Amino acid sequence: MELDPAEAELKAVLNRLRRAQGQIAGVVRMIEEGRDCEEVVTQLAAASRALDRAGFSIVATGLRRCLAEEADGGRSREDGDEMRGRLERLFLSLA
């Protein structure tokens, strides 16, 4: 399944990933500056949640697309089952 960055849902994912990228850069700076451990971990947890949400959004987009293609007749039931299985494994890799 290829991603289309023009899709509204994926634009939101890209924004979330850019925000997480900034948070991770901030965590690196905080460590380099010797900042408080609690502050560093709090920021790292926020970045981790943003990455998780981005991953779940990508899997959900793929699942919706797979089901829509099957309903439209663009994908056979067997192909759809295979794709759902692959998406399920991706989902579980994030959990």
Side-chain angles (χ1 to χ4, degrees), residues 15-55:
N15 288 336
R16 180 172 279 138
L17 289 172
R18 288 186 184 104
R19 208 169 24 255
Q21 186 176 32
Q23 289 172 315
I24 291 169
V27 168
V28 169
R29 277 192 307 276
M30 292 171 78
I31 291 171
E32 291 172 344
E33 295 169 357
R35 300 275 295 272
D36 179 66
C37 175
E38 189 174 341
E39 291 176 31
V40 172
V41 171
T42 298
Q43 286 303 311
L44 194 56
S48 178
R49 282 191 304 275
L51 291 172
D52 287 344
R53 288 185 180 132

Side-chain angles (χ1 to χ4, degrees), residues 2-91:
E2 292 188 18
L3 300 174
D4 178 5
E7 286 185 47
E9 292 170 353
L10 293 179
K11 285 182 180 184
V13 168
L14 287 171
N15 288 336
R16 180 172 279 138
L17 289 172
R18 288 186 184 104
R19 208 169 24 255
Q21 186 176 32
Q23 289 172 315
I24 291 169
V27 168
V28 169
R29 277 192 307 276
M30 292 171 78
I31 291 171
E32 291 172 344
E33 295 169 357
R35 300 275 295 272
D36 179 66
C37 175
E38 189 174 341
E39 291 176 31
V40 172
V41 171
T42 298
Q43 286 303 311
L44 194 56
S48 178
R49 282 191 304 275
L51 291 172
D52 287 344
R53 288 185 180 132
F56 288 129
S57 292
I58 290 169
V59 171
T61 298
L63 185 56
R64 276 193 297 278
R65 188 181 302 158
C66 174
L67 293 173
E69 286 177 4
E70 187 177 310
D72 291 341
R75 183 183 301 268
S76 72
R77 180 146 183 90
E78 293 79 25
D79 288 345
D81 289 344
E82 179 186 336
M83 179 60 77
R84 278 192 297 281
R86 289 171 50 201
L87 289 167
E88 181 179 342
R89 284 188 294 281
L90 287 173
F91 176 82

